[in-house]
Amino acid sequence: TLASASDNDLWEKSTLNQVLNRGELRVCAEAGYMPFDMRDKKGNIVGFDVDIGKAMAKAMGVKLDIRNTAWDGIIPALLTDKCDIIISGMTITPERNLKVNFTDPYIVVGQTILLSPKLKGKVTNYRDLNDAKYTIATKLGATSDYAVKRYMSQAKLNLFETESEGVLEVVNGNADAFVYDLPYNAIYSAQNEGKVLHLDDSFTYEPLGFAIRKGDPDFMNFLNNYLAQIKGDGTYDKIYRKWFAS
Ligand code: ARG
Protein backbone atom coordinates (compact mmCIF):
# COMPACT_ATOMS: atom_id res chain seq x y z
CA THR A 1 0.00 0.00 0.00
CA LEU A 2 0.99 3.67 -0.30
CA ALA A 3 1.23 4.07 3.47
CA SER A 4 3.63 1.19 3.94
CA ALA A 5 5.87 2.39 1.09
CA SER A 6 6.46 5.73 2.83
CA ASP A 7 6.79 4.08 6.26
CA ASN A 8 9.52 1.89 4.76
CA ASP A 9 11.25 4.96 3.42
CA LEU A 10 11.25 6.58 6.84
CA TRP A 11 12.68 3.46 8.43
CA GLU A 12 15.40 3.22 5.75
CA LYS A 13 16.51 6.73 6.69
CA SER A 14 16.10 6.31 10.43
CA THR A 15 19.26 6.70 12.49
CA LEU A 16 18.18 3.60 14.38
CA ASN A 17 18.24 1.54 11.16
CA GLN A 18 21.69 2.94 10.32
CA VAL A 19 22.99 2.12 13.80
CA LEU A 20 21.78 -1.47 13.47
CA ASN A 21 23.34 -1.84 10.00
CA ARG A 22 26.63 -0.33 11.19
CA GLY A 23 26.65 -2.35 14.40
CA GLU A 24 27.73 0.70 16.37
CA LEU A 25 26.04 3.54 18.26
CA ARG A 26 28.07 6.76 17.99
CA VAL A 27 27.50 9.05 20.96
CA CYS A 28 28.62 12.68 21.20
CA ALA A 29 29.58 13.62 24.75
CA GLU A 30 31.88 16.15 26.34
CA ALA A 31 33.99 14.98 29.26
CA GLY A 32 34.28 17.36 32.20
CA TYR A 33 30.73 17.39 33.51
CA MET A 34 30.65 15.41 36.76
CA PRO A 35 29.19 12.85 37.33
CA PHE A 36 27.74 12.48 33.83
CA ASP A 37 30.81 12.57 31.59
CA MET A 38 34.31 12.48 33.09
CA ARG A 39 37.78 11.10 32.41
CA ASP A 40 39.06 8.27 34.56
CA LYS A 41 42.75 7.88 35.40
CA LYS A 42 43.37 6.05 32.13
CA GLY A 43 41.71 8.82 30.14
CA ASN A 44 38.56 6.89 29.31
CA ILE A 45 35.25 8.74 29.42
CA VAL A 46 33.11 7.35 32.24
CA GLY A 47 30.01 8.45 34.13
CA PHE A 48 26.24 8.31 34.42
CA ASP A 49 25.72 9.14 30.72
CA VAL A 50 28.30 6.60 29.61
CA ASP A 51 26.65 3.80 31.59
CA ILE A 52 23.24 4.69 30.16
CA GLY A 53 24.79 4.71 26.67
CA LYS A 54 26.36 1.31 27.32
CA ALA A 55 23.06 -0.20 28.45
CA MET A 56 21.32 1.33 25.44
CA ALA A 57 23.86 -0.02 22.95
CA LYS A 58 23.59 -3.43 24.57
CA ALA A 59 19.79 -3.36 24.18
CA MET A 60 20.32 -2.56 20.47
CA GLY A 61 22.89 -5.33 20.15
CA VAL A 62 25.58 -2.92 18.90
CA LYS A 63 28.92 -1.52 20.06
CA LEU A 64 29.28 1.86 21.72
CA ASP A 65 31.56 4.59 20.37
CA ILE A 66 31.81 7.67 22.63
CA ARG A 67 33.11 10.68 20.72
CA ASN A 68 34.41 13.49 22.89
CA THR A 69 33.09 16.72 21.40
CA ALA A 70 33.56 20.32 22.60
CA TRP A 71 30.37 21.71 24.08
CA ASP A 72 29.99 24.68 21.73
CA GLY A 73 30.23 22.32 18.73
CA ILE A 74 28.17 19.44 20.01
CA ILE A 75 24.87 20.31 18.30
CA PRO A 76 26.63 21.04 14.96
CA ALA A 77 28.41 17.67 15.32
CA LEU A 78 25.06 15.88 15.66
CA LEU A 79 23.57 17.82 12.74
CA THR A 80 26.51 16.95 10.48
CA ASP A 81 26.24 13.24 11.38
CA LYS A 82 29.44 12.97 13.45
CA CYS A 83 27.33 10.99 15.90
CA ASP A 84 23.87 9.46 16.20
CA ILE A 85 22.88 10.99 19.52
CA ILE A 86 24.04 13.46 22.16
CA ILE A 87 24.11 11.93 25.64
CA SER A 88 25.87 14.63 27.58
CA GLY A 89 23.73 16.10 30.34
CA MET A 90 22.08 18.42 27.86
CA THR A 91 19.26 20.57 29.17
CA ILE A 92 16.13 20.52 27.04
CA THR A 93 15.57 24.17 26.15
CA PRO A 94 13.11 25.66 23.64
CA GLU A 95 16.02 27.31 21.75
CA ARG A 96 17.91 24.03 21.31
CA ASN A 97 14.67 22.23 20.57
CA LEU A 98 14.28 24.34 17.42
CA LYS A 99 17.42 22.65 16.05
CA VAL A 100 17.27 19.13 17.51
CA ASN A 101 14.69 16.79 19.00
CA PHE A 102 14.89 15.68 22.61
CA THR A 103 13.78 12.47 24.26
CA ASP A 104 11.78 12.59 27.47
CA PRO A 105 13.89 13.89 30.36
CA TYR A 106 16.12 11.31 32.05
CA ILE A 107 16.83 13.51 35.07
CA VAL A 108 15.96 17.03 36.25
CA VAL A 109 18.58 19.43 37.64
CA GLY A 110 18.91 23.20 38.16
CA GLN A 111 21.51 25.92 38.51
CA THR A 112 23.21 26.49 41.86
CA ILE A 113 26.12 28.64 43.05
CA LEU A 114 29.67 27.92 44.18
CA LEU A 115 30.52 31.04 46.16
CA SER A 116 33.86 32.40 47.25
CA PRO A 117 34.13 31.70 51.00
CA LYS A 118 35.01 35.41 51.41
CA LEU A 119 31.37 36.24 50.64
CA LYS A 120 29.90 33.92 53.24
CA GLY A 121 26.83 35.60 54.76
CA LYS A 122 27.00 38.53 52.31
CA VAL A 123 25.59 36.56 49.39
CA THR A 124 22.89 34.05 50.25
CA ASN A 125 21.10 33.53 46.92
CA TYR A 126 21.29 34.30 43.20
CA ARG A 127 19.51 37.65 43.58
CA ASP A 128 22.29 38.96 45.80
CA LEU A 129 24.78 38.29 42.99
CA ASN A 130 22.90 40.55 40.57
CA ASP A 131 25.23 43.45 41.26
CA ALA A 132 27.94 45.18 39.21
CA LYS A 133 30.48 44.63 41.98
CA TYR A 134 30.43 40.86 41.47
CA THR A 135 32.21 38.75 38.86
CA ILE A 136 30.67 35.42 37.89
CA ALA A 137 32.42 32.63 35.99
CA THR A 138 30.78 29.84 34.05
CA LYS A 139 30.93 27.70 30.91
CA LEU A 140 30.38 29.17 27.46
CA GLY A 141 27.13 28.09 25.81
CA ALA A 142 25.85 26.15 28.79
CA THR A 143 22.47 26.88 30.34
CA SER A 144 24.41 28.48 33.22
CA ASP A 145 25.67 31.09 30.71
CA TYR A 146 22.05 31.89 29.76
CA ALA A 147 20.88 31.83 33.39
CA VAL A 148 23.52 34.35 34.51
CA LYS A 149 22.64 36.66 31.59
CA ARG A 150 18.98 36.43 32.55
CA TYR A 151 19.01 36.52 36.35
CA MET A 152 22.32 38.27 37.14
CA SER A 153 22.56 40.69 34.25
CA GLN A 154 24.19 43.40 36.41
CA ALA A 155 27.17 41.22 37.33
CA LYS A 156 30.31 40.86 35.22
CA LEU A 157 30.30 37.51 33.40
CA ASN A 158 33.47 35.62 32.42
CA LEU A 159 32.99 32.61 30.17
CA PHE A 160 35.25 29.55 29.86
CA GLU A 161 35.39 26.56 27.53
CA THR A 162 35.41 24.06 30.38
CA GLU A 163 33.75 23.69 33.76
CA SER A 164 37.07 23.23 35.55
CA GLU A 165 38.55 26.50 34.22
CA GLY A 166 35.42 28.34 35.34
CA VAL A 167 35.30 27.03 38.87
CA LEU A 168 39.06 27.57 39.33
CA GLU A 169 38.42 31.29 38.94
CA VAL A 170 36.58 31.25 42.26
CA VAL A 171 39.25 29.15 43.97
CA ASN A 172 41.98 31.50 42.68
CA GLY A 173 40.08 34.62 43.74
CA ASN A 174 39.45 35.91 40.19
CA ALA A 175 35.68 35.47 40.43
CA ASP A 176 33.14 35.76 43.24
CA ALA A 177 30.97 32.89 42.12
CA PHE A 178 30.67 30.00 39.68
CA VAL A 179 27.17 29.18 38.48
CA TYR A 180 26.51 25.66 37.23
CA ASP A 181 24.30 22.55 37.31
CA LEU A 182 23.69 21.25 40.84
CA PRO A 183 25.25 17.76 40.51
CA TYR A 184 28.57 19.21 39.31
CA ASN A 185 28.62 21.82 42.07
CA ALA A 186 27.72 19.28 44.77
CA ILE A 187 30.61 17.00 43.77
CA TYR A 188 33.09 19.85 43.35
CA SER A 189 32.31 21.36 46.75
CA ALA A 190 32.53 17.94 48.45
CA GLN A 191 35.95 17.36 46.84
CA ASN A 192 37.24 20.88 47.59
CA GLU A 193 36.10 21.58 51.10
CA GLY A 194 36.73 25.14 52.31
CA LYS A 195 37.62 26.41 48.83
CA VAL A 196 34.06 27.14 47.75
CA LEU A 197 30.69 27.46 49.46
CA HIS A 198 27.78 25.66 47.80
CA LEU A 199 24.50 27.61 47.77
CA ASP A 200 22.52 24.55 46.76
CA ASP A 201 19.02 25.96 46.19
CA SER A 202 18.37 25.50 42.45
CA PHE A 203 17.07 28.64 40.81
CA THR A 204 16.26 27.15 37.38
CA TYR A 205 14.29 24.12 36.17
CA GLU A 206 16.37 21.95 33.84
CA PRO A 207 15.19 18.63 32.47
CA LEU A 208 18.09 16.82 30.74
CA GLY A 209 17.41 14.76 27.63
CA PHE A 210 19.14 12.90 24.79
CA ALA A 211 19.26 14.89 21.54
CA ILE A 212 18.77 13.39 18.06
CA ARG A 213 18.29 14.84 14.60
CA LYS A 214 14.78 15.96 13.67
CA GLY A 215 12.42 13.89 11.57
CA ASP A 216 13.19 10.48 13.05
CA PRO A 217 10.11 9.03 14.78
CA ASP A 218 11.49 5.46 14.77
CA PHE A 219 14.61 6.34 16.74
CA MET A 220 12.63 8.57 19.11
CA ASN A 221 10.12 5.81 19.76
CA PHE A 222 12.89 3.38 20.66
CA LEU A 223 14.64 5.86 22.95
CA ASN A 224 11.59 6.96 24.92
CA ASN A 225 10.37 3.41 25.40
CA TYR A 226 13.90 2.34 26.37
CA LEU A 227 14.04 5.11 28.99
CA ALA A 228 10.65 4.11 30.41
CA GLN A 229 11.80 0.50 30.54
CA ILE A 230 15.04 1.13 32.44
CA LYS A 231 13.27 3.54 34.81
CA GLY A 232 10.76 0.80 35.60
CA ASP A 233 12.98 -2.28 35.77
CA GLY A 234 15.68 -1.07 38.16
CA THR A 235 18.45 -0.56 35.58
CA TYR A 236 18.24 3.22 35.84
CA ASP A 237 18.23 3.18 39.66
CA LYS A 238 21.28 0.95 39.72
CA ILE A 239 23.24 3.30 37.42
CA TYR A 240 21.94 6.33 39.33
CA ARG A 241 23.11 4.95 42.68
CA LYS A 242 26.54 4.18 41.25
CA TRP A 243 27.18 7.82 40.28
CA PHE A 244 25.01 9.86 42.65
CA ALA A 245 25.34 7.98 45.94
CA SER A 246 27.02 10.25 48.49
N1 ARG B 1 23.04 21.09 31.48
C1 ARG B 1 23.91 22.11 30.97
C2 ARG B 1 23.52 22.48 29.57
O1 ARG B 1 22.79 21.78 28.94
C3 ARG B 1 25.37 21.73 31.03
C4 ARG B 1 25.72 20.44 30.36
C5 ARG B 1 27.18 20.29 30.11
N2 ARG B 1 27.49 18.98 29.65
C6 ARG B 1 28.76 18.56 29.38
N3 ARG B 1 28.92 17.34 29.02
N4 ARG B 1 29.77 19.37 29.50
O2 ARG B 1 23.95 23.48 29.04
Side-chain angles (χ1 to χ4, degrees), residues 30 33 37 71 88-91 96 139 141-143 163 180-181 206 208:
E30 190 211 39
Y33 177 61
D37 313 271
W71 190 250
S88 202
M90 185 172 275
T91 304
R96 289 172 178 163
K139 183 179 168 81
T143 44
E163 288 84 351
Y180 211 56
D181 297 27
E206 306 208 18
L208 310 185

Side-chain angles (χ1 to χ4, degrees), residues 145-217:
D145 177 354
Y146 314 134
V148 174
K149 282 172 180 147
R150 177 163 175 190
Y151 296 108
M152 289 156 259
S153 56
Q154 302 302 308
K156 184 173 191 307
L157 173 60
N158 288 340
L159 295 168
F160 297 86
E161 292 244 334
T162 63
E163 288 84 351
S164 57
E165 291 171 278
V167 70
L168 260 182
E169 291 288 291
V170 178
V171 174
N172 295 337
N174 297 326
D176 299 297
F178 172 74
V179 169
Y180 211 56
D181 297 27
L182 183 146
Y184 183 93
N185 286 349
I187 294 172
Y188 190 89
S189 61
Q191 290 176 351
N192 296 272
E193 248 183 274
K195 292 186 186 159
V196 290
L197 195 68
H198 191 196
L199 304 183
D200 62 359
D201 260 343
S202 295
F203 61 92
T204 61
Y205 170 75
E206 306 208 18
L208 310 185
F210 312 143
I212 64 170
R213 288 179 289 276
K214 286 189 172 289
D216 195 341

